[in-house]
Amino acid sequence: MSKQKLILIGNGMAGIRTVEELLKLEPEMYEITVFGAEPHPNYNRIMLSPVLAGEKTIDDIVLNSRDWYAEKGISLHTGDPVVEIDRISRQVKTASGNTLSYDRLLLATGSNPFIIPVPGHELPGVVGFRDIRDVEMMLESARQHKKAVVIGGGLLGLEAANGLMKNGMDVTVVHLMDILMERQLDKPAAELLKASLAESGMNFLMQAETAEILGDDRVRGVRFKDGSEIEADLVVMAVGIRPNTELAQQAGLHCERGVVVNDTLQTFDPRIYAVGECVQHRNSCYGLVAPLFEQAKVCANHLAMLGYGRYEGSVTSTKLKVTGIDLFSAGEFNEGEGDETLVLQDPAQGIYKKLVIKDNRIKGAVMYGDTMDGTWYFQLLREETDISGFRNTILFGQHDLGDAGHGDETRVAMLSDDAEICGCNGVCKGDIVNAITSKGLFTLDEVRTHTKASASCGSCTGLVESLLASTVGEGYAAAPSKKAVCACTEHSHDEVIQAIRTAPLKSMRDLFDYLNWKTPDGCSSCRPALNYYLLANWPGEYQDDAQSRFINERAHGNIQKDGTYSVVPRMFGGLCTANDLRSIADVADKYQVPEMKVTGGQRIDLFGVKKEQLPSMWKDLTAAGFVSGHAYGKAMRTVKTCAGKTWCRFGTQNSTGLGVQLEELTWGSWMPHKFKLAVSGCPRNCAEATIKDFGVVCVDSGYELHIGGNGGIKVRVTDLLCKVETEAEVVEYCGAFTQLYREEAHYLERTAPWVERVSLGYVKQRILEDEAGRKALFERFQYGQQFAQIDPWRARAEGAEAHEFTPLSINRMRVAS
Amino acid sequence: MSDWIAIAMLDEIPTMGARKLQTETQEIAVFRTGNDEVFALRDRCPHRGGPLSQGIVHGDTVSCPLHNWKIDLQSGEVQGPDDGCVNTYAVKVDEGVVYLNLAQAESAA
Ligand SMILES: Cc1cc2nc3c(=O)[nH]c(=O)nc-3n(C[C@H](O)[C@H](O)[C@H](O)COP(=O)(O)OP(=O)(O)OC[C@H]3O[C@@H](n4cnc5c(N)ncnc54)[C@H](O)[C@@H]3O)c2cc1C
Ligand code: HEM
Ligand code: SF4
Ligand code: SF4
Ligand code: FES
């Protein structure tokens, strides 16, 4: 049986979304052909505003690349509009003369910008704001001309005006009403908006009605009804859109303002469906993506012949995408008879919130300046929740009291699971949280790929980020000590460490048996952790297991995204000699290292080394006196130092010398996570010691010791542990602190979260108050270092683990046999 | 007839580890599991091309070193929630010698 033929007219957001939804349900049912008038694959039209403003490029906003169509077996014809639908023979005809028949047809022709038909509206330099071509034309004008007039002070007009201003044009917005965005805002909010746009340099002509566009071979100016004129080299018409019904009308389909469809998105011809801005459903036409995507879902359901979806219309909400402006509106926000309003106004902070209420239910909301609770109000509105219980505090937001600093985070955490976070794609909080926890997502991008949340207009990015913070944060903070190491066991990190010490367990096999591991040999999460715990607790006794280490530690180099490695020779305290540099340069030449750079930890990184080259390269570096920099490992990384007393006029102690000493003490030590140190010569702190795991700031009277800092995703400034007077004390405290962390932190827990978990007080008690304990810790550290300070490079250059670095080859055995 | 090529002694492959095999046209990862089973897969992760031979081997699975996708050594299938698949090649061990059969792989692929 041959497949049914589906033709989509209109390669835009609603049409392609419908196809995507359909492919999810029935990937094989149709042979799909798409005709698009524009020469591009489907792109995110919403993002034309940021493209115009220079915040994104056209490549950034492509939603479906040509490869996508090919992969899905869709035949795509761009730049070839359909000019005729013959419903009797069920064929479409295109501008280029193509004729193709269909079993089902999907209309998604979008809308056209409305161009006011005043004299001069066809002059070059008059443009709508709808597609890539319009944007290119505006950008071109901005390069050559200075003055722009935007007719229309609605959403689109203001975004266009903002974009043109960003491109250096002098922009005047002309608006018929006395309120900007009157369909989304009430007067006070509109005034705040206008004031803030005016401050950034936008000009306004309110209550001005355009009479004529002036010019001969290009626009020169605009004349208004009252006879006044202004100059213009570019006129953008953004006064509204008209559903594009031309083709449907000509095919005899019933149209009013838009192509009329029923709740299953069918037109009056049951073989023809329509979605998007071109349709009129229950008397409404929509101009925002959220309702169109809802339509797409229902339409796909029917195209897939499942037949149970119903589209019943949408309530919409709006946000303006002008960077730096926070604005939200939804529902009916201008009070009618019998409505009540609740208003919060804080002009000094530029905050305005208004709720229109009837019978204790929200009918509409307008917010400016602080829109965090917009989603919450919008949900109350759609669900028609009775708000009498919290009317008094509703304007302060869902979360009204008692949090300092975690604003966003706590507030999103309080939203219910079915609260919609991403309006464009209809993704609820529950979906996002689920994806984060079940799929182990950590970044915004991952959430985008997995849920599509925040992947369209980006307005909800802040919310998604807070959700990420509260979800991942919660998982981490709620029960760290009870959390199982991984799916291979029920035991927590602490229980495993305890067992290793008391049982005692000195090999991986014993450990698996003793703790009833569920898998025969663990997994890539637990094996590296167990290997570390065994190594840290039984130095000299436990035999390190290379196969339980991540490749970086196994190969003693950082694997890069192309599978090559990087090599970082250790330079103690960041000091080096001309000879050191020369040897590094020689090695770089000899092995044709493609790129070198100075790292954030003051070492030299040689990138792009092939694995097979590593041992001989290390041999040369070892011969020149270098040891491995461990830049790849969960290990002590570097001691960063500042210029220091020898040279710097502010220097107090021998800070560089101390740095070298600390690096000599700690190098080679394996850690739960990476571990960085720094020594600064004075409180100016040029070595940034206060964002290190262990930092020393020298002062006139001695040394301040700081612990538990890190840079990275979440910067944490160190806590001051104590002040000591001699270098010997610094060394002892450093060794003791390091050992405490090595013995008690969980694998992959950096000092910052560890200190927060066990508390600074606990660390102080172990290191400061318990002198004997401190000395014992320091001794254990020194004992362990005997086994750790064996240069892995030298060992491997001399042939250890050779199999790791030599590939097998097909011919080798033939020769041998 | 004999398409089986001897490529290594079993002992040359670390337990719960892998070796990379360089042929003229491609790179193949040869794995040895904890119970001495041997598998051969194309040395390219279906996610972003990570070298699977450099991953951690556990059970009949290898975790890609770049972003930790888990790949079943028997079937070459990526384990959920991710999707994808890697070419596998026929291998056998006979008296401590590991043999690879590329011809068989081609017909299977
Ligand atoms: C600058 C700008 C900013 C916006 N900002 C937002 C926002 O912040 N939030 C929001 O929700 N919405 C926003 N919108 C609206 C949103 O982009 C539209 O609602 C949405 O793109 C409509 O989708 P559609 O598929 O119906 O139409 P379109 O995406 O316009 O797709 C229709 C396609 O059909 C093609 N076509 C027309 N006739 C034919 C034919 N005969 N043959 C072949 N092809 C044809 C057209 O060329 C077009 O490519 C914005 C729109 C613009 C222009
Ligand atoms: C826990 C699982 C995952 C992790 C840790 C992860 C991590 C990463 C990282 C670090 C990169 C950057 C790669 C580089 O350039 O070196 C990347 C890229 C990418 N990942 Fe993943 N990923 C995961 C799962 C997924 C899944 C499930 C998908 C898709 C279904 C996916 C799709 C992509 C894509 C498309 C890119 C390329 C993005 C680009 O640069 O254009 N990833 N991932
Ligand atoms: S930290 Fe102080 S001593 Fe060190 S370089 Fe800066 S100013 Fe000079
Ligand atoms: S910040 Fe670090 S992880 Fe991110 S790209 Fe740079 S080196 Fe890579
Ligand atoms: S390349 Fe293998 S998981 Fe990304």
Side-chain angles (χ1 to χ4, degrees), chain A residues 439-440 446 449-450 561, chain B residues 47-48 66-67 69 82:
Chain A
K439 304 203 169 122
E446 287 171 344
T449 342
H450 284 281
K561 65 183 195 184
Chain B
H47 177 221
R48 302 266 286 172
L66 292 196
H67 320 105
W69 277 25
D82 308 311

Side-chain angles (χ1 to χ4, degrees), chain A residues 445-485:
Chain A
D445 276 333
E446 287 171 344
V447 175
R448 280 187 182 145
T449 342
H450 284 281
T451 66
K452 283 205 179 244
S454 120
S456 291
C457 87
S459 298
C460 62
T461 303
L463 287 175
V464 174
E465 281 179 331
S466 322
L467 259 186
L468 205 52
S470 66
T471 311
V472 178
E474 251 167 34
Y476 166 73
S481 52
K482 276 183 277 152
K483 230 174 86 184
V485 173

Side-chain angles (χ1 to χ4, degrees), chain B residues 14-36:
Chain B
T15 313
M16 289 191 266
R19 294 287 297 268
K20 181 174 87 175
L21 172 72
Q22 183 75 54
T23 75
E24 267 160 40
T25 52
Q26 58 181 324
E27 287 165 353
I28 295 173
V30 185
F31 297 92
R32 174 178 176 189
T33 66
N35 23 347
D36 284 347

Side-chain angles (χ1 to χ4, degrees), chain A residues 201-377:
Chain A
M202 207 180 278
N203 305 306
F204 293 95
L205 267 182
M206 305 301 279
Q207 292 172 283
E209 191 175 349
T210 307
E212 185 182 351
I213 305 207
L214 308 170
D216 306 317
D217 44 8
R218 184 183 171 92
V219 288
R220 176 164 56 72
V222 178
R223 177 181 302 141
F224 301 100
K225 277 265 161 72
D226 65 3
S228 61
E229 289 179 12
I230 57 170
E231 271 180 67
D233 312 306
L234 172 72
V235 172
V236 180
M237 292 261 199
V239 291
I241 50 172
R242 293 286 175 272
N244 185 356
T245 58
E246 198 185 325
L247 198 57
Q249 253 165 350
Q250 179 219 69
L253 291 171
H254 180 61
C255 297
E256 291 172 6
R257 274 174 301 145
V259 185
V260 176
V261 293
N262 62 12
D263 287 3
T264 58
L265 285 313
Q266 262 166 326
T267 66
F268 275 59
D269 178 336
R271 284 188 184 271
I272 306 184
Y273 289 74
V275 291
E277 282 188 350
C278 62
V279 312
Q280 177 181 337
H281 170 263
R282 297 197 187 179
N283 243 340
S284 294
C285 295
Y286 296 97
L288 292 169
V289 294
L292 310 187
F293 287 178
E294 287 175 39
Q295 294 173 356
K297 231 187 184 124
V298 175
C299 182
N301 183 287
H302 289 276
L303 284 172
M305 301 187 189
L306 297 174
Y308 54 76
R310 281 276 172 287
Y311 178 68
E312 300 179 359
S314 310
V315 190
T316 57
S317 65
T318 315
K319 285 185 182 176
L320 181 71
K321 302 185 302 300
V322 171
T323 308
I325 291 190
D326 249 351
L327 184 156
F328 179 90
S329 91
E332 294 169 38
F333 47 83
N334 278 315
E335 60 271 33
E337 193 127 349
D339 293 345
E340 305 164 85
T341 57
L342 299 179
V343 178
L344 181 145
Q345 236 166 334
D346 183 347
Q349 289 199 58
I351 291 177
Y352 172 79
K353 300 184 189 179
K354 177 168 98 174
L355 297 178
V356 176
I357 292 176
K358 186 166 193 168
D359 300 332
N360 277 321
R361 282 171 178 81
I362 298 183
K363 276 179 68 187
V366 192
M367 314 169 69
Y368 186 89
D370 171 10
T371 56
M372 174 64 210
D373 284 299
T375 35
W376 183 47
Y377 296 145

